[in-house]
Amino acid sequence: LAPAEAAWLADLPENEVLACSKGKFSPETARKLAPALGLKPEALANHEDYLPKPLALANIHRLDLPFSGERVNAWIVRAGHAAVLFDTGYDPKSCIEQLETTGELLPDQIFITHAHPDHIGGVSAFLAKGIQLHGSQINHASLMKPGDEILCGPLTIRACDLSGHANPSLGYHIDGLASPILVTGDALFAGSMGGCATPTLYQHALRQLKKILTPLPDHTILLPGHGPATTLGEERVSNPFL
C-alpha cells in the first residue's frame, strides 16, 4: 500500500505512517496500522522487542555464515550415523571450512531451499567431494518436488512448497528426531518472513505458509535461512504475518 492509503485505512496521520515505515517504531501506531496491512495487531506492536526463546537443539547445528556484511544460515542435522545439510552459504569456502574446523563430519546429502546466491554459494565445495545434492532448479542437483521424500539413515526428509520469496522454493519437513522439524529457508523467519517481489507473490507466500503450517503442532522447530531457530507455537503468537 502507498503510505497515504495505509494511513487512510488505519485512520492515522500520514506522517506517522511514513515515520513508522522509515524505522521510527511506535507500538501505538503499529497496533492501529496492523489491520490495514492484514497483520496481527499485538504481534506487530510488540515486534520491536521480540526474540524467540533460545532452543537446546540436540542433533542440530547452526552454521552462522558471512554474507556481504550480513549473516546467512546453513543447518546440519544428525541422527545415528546420518548427516544432512540444508543450504551452503554465500561463498565457496565458509560452510565447508566451518564444518571442518569444528570437527563436524561432512554431510551425506545436501538439500537446497532456493537458488538465491547466499544459499547456494558453497555448493561447489561439496560437489567436489562427491556429496549428493537435492533441490528444485538447482544446477547439478537431483530434482526434488513438493511431496518427494528421501531417507537418510533414521531421518525422513520431505519437501514442501514454500514459494513466494523465491520461485521455486522448498521447505523440508524432517522426521526421525524427538521433535518435528521444518526447514523454512527464507519463507519464514522468527518474527518475520521473506520479502516478495510483487503483491501477488506476497499473497501467494502467505497462502503457502498457511497451507503448510496449519496442520503442524506448536512444538515444531523452525530452522530459517537467517536468524535464530524458533518454534511454530512462538511464531503463531509473535509473528505478525501468521
Side-chain angles (χ1 to χ4, degrees):
L1 297 176
E5 185 180 3
W8 180 79
L9 289 170
D11 194 24
L12 283 167
E14 186 177 349
N15 64 332
E16 283 188 25
V17 174
L18 279 169
C20 194
S21 72
K22 292 178 180 178
K24 188 176 180 181
F25 187 80
S26 160
E28 293 77 17
T29 301
R31 190 176 285 108
K32 293 176 182 177
L33 187 59
L37 302 177
L39 304 179
K40 283 193 302 193
E42 288 308 306
L44 190 61
N46 295 316
H47 188 263
E48 189 175 36
D49 298 319
Y50 173 59
L51 278 175
K53 294 171 186 162
L55 294 171
L57 298 175
N59 305 106
I60 300 171
H61 180 58
R62 176 188 179 191
L63 303 175
D64 182 15
L65 304 170
F67 161 46
S68 292
E70 302 180 32
R71 311 298 293 182
V72 64
N73 295 334
W75 298 92
I76 191 156
V77 179
R78 299 188 181 281
H81 297 293
V84 290
L85 179 70
F86 296 89
D87 292 340
T88 64
Y90 179 61
D91 63 72
K93 295 182 179 179
S94 61
C95 186
I96 199 165
E97 286 180 352
Q98 191 172 133
L99 286 172
E100 291 173 344
T101 57
T102 56
E104 293 268 5
L105 296 175
L106 293 180
D108 304 297
Q109 301 186 61
I110 298 172
F111 296 82
I112 299 296
T113 59
H114 61 293
H116 288 174
D118 51 325
H119 296 264
I120 62 169
V123 160
S124 59
F126 293 99
L127 288 175
K129 294 184 177 291
I131 297 172
Q132 189 171 11
L133 188 71
H134 305 276
S136 180
Q137 296 185 20
I138 307 294
N139 288 338
H140 309 294
S142 62
L143 177 63
M144 200 160 185
K145 305 183 299 298
D148 288 352
E149 286 188 354
I150 290 180
L151 299 179
C152 189
L155 299 174
T156 302
I157 295 94
R158 185 175 77 258
C160 60
D161 180 3
L162 285 179
S163 55
H165 167 76
N167 302 283
S169 182
L170 296 177
Y172 295 101
H173 298 276
I174 308 171
D175 293 316
L177 298 177
S179 296
I181 311 292
L182 177 62
V183 180
T184 62
D186 287 357
L188 188 72
F189 309 126
S192 192
M193 64 179 285
C196 300
T198 68
T200 299
L201 286 172
Y202 170 61
Q203 293 299 328
H204 171 78
L206 290 175
R207 286 193 299 271
Q208 289 304 116
L209 284 170
K210 183 176 182 179
K211 177 181 177 181
I212 298 303
L213 298 178
T214 296
L216 302 180
D218 281 351
H219 65 282
T220 302
I221 294 171
L222 306 178
L223 305 181
H226 303 268
T230 184
T231 63
L232 182 53
E234 277 205 90
E235 296 311 302
R236 282 175 167 148
V237 172
S238 299
N239 192 316
F241 294 95
L242 296 189

